[in-house]
Amino acid sequence: MTTLPESWYRELKQELQKPYFERLMQQVGQAYHEHPAATFPPEAQIFRAFDLCKWSDVKVVILGQDPYPTKGHAHGLCFSVAPNVKPLPKSLVNIFKERQADLELPPLPNGDLSHWAQQGVLLLNTILTVEEGKPDSHKNWGWEQFTDAVIEKIASEKKHIVFVLWGAKAQAKATQIDPSKHLILKTAHPSPLAAHRGFFGSKPFSKTNAFLRMIGEREIQW
């Protein structure tokens, strides 16, 4: 099994030694062993959000649900897809529409959001693996407990982080975040079913950058 990079391992070592996490890794390992072509993302990319965004670099946390269950789409970053994926998932299309309306920027060349992660945006799914064609198939395996611990660790040990919570599942995590220490941006999910209920027009990108400017941090080049 692939493992967390050193900067995160140090911070989460106690969590990784808990019995539930050991059971989770066994179950995930079995899924990749039995269905290597139908378990996403590729095994080496399970913890890619942590690989691209070091503990010390985190400025923003964007929380997703579980990886895209379509072959070739998921690559370890929430909402992001591999560079060659066309057409883009509809939620990502809506994120890009809001980005363009909010910042008046030209469209990005593809759906790969790695460049956000490399600037300190932790693109974290609540559940980090999935079976092809079956959303939520790895629900209640233990991933939720692990990602809860990640959010709690960031929220308790850092200051002035922007938490971007799109949709009810992500917003449920807000109970772990002190709003007097951090900026919490909550809106509807960007999916076509919900985006018109408050996601469009919410300006998450400019609000994030305004906050980072205020605390003297470098803005994200969205």
Side-chain angles (χ1 to χ4, degrees), residues 109-145:
N110 55 52
D112 181 3
L113 305 180
S114 298
H115 62 292
W116 293 3
Q118 289 160 348
Q119 297 176 75
V121 182
L122 183 66
L123 294 165
L124 182 65
N125 275 314
T126 306
I127 299 165
L128 299 190
T129 55
V130 73
E131 185 179 340
E132 182 174 8
K134 297 179 181 177
D136 270 349
S137 48
H138 293 183
K139 184 179 179 180
N140 298 327
W141 282 21
W143 281 127
E144 297 93 335
Q145 188 173 342

Side-chain angles (χ1 to χ4, degrees), residues 36-64:
T39 308
F40 306 144
E43 189 175 350
Q45 296 180 338
I46 294 173
F47 295 112
R48 190 157 176 261
F50 302 95
D51 291 332
L52 296 187
C53 182
K54 290 192 296 188
W55 165 261
S56 58
D57 294 343
V58 177
K59 299 179 189 177
V60 181
V61 178
I62 298 179
L63 196 61

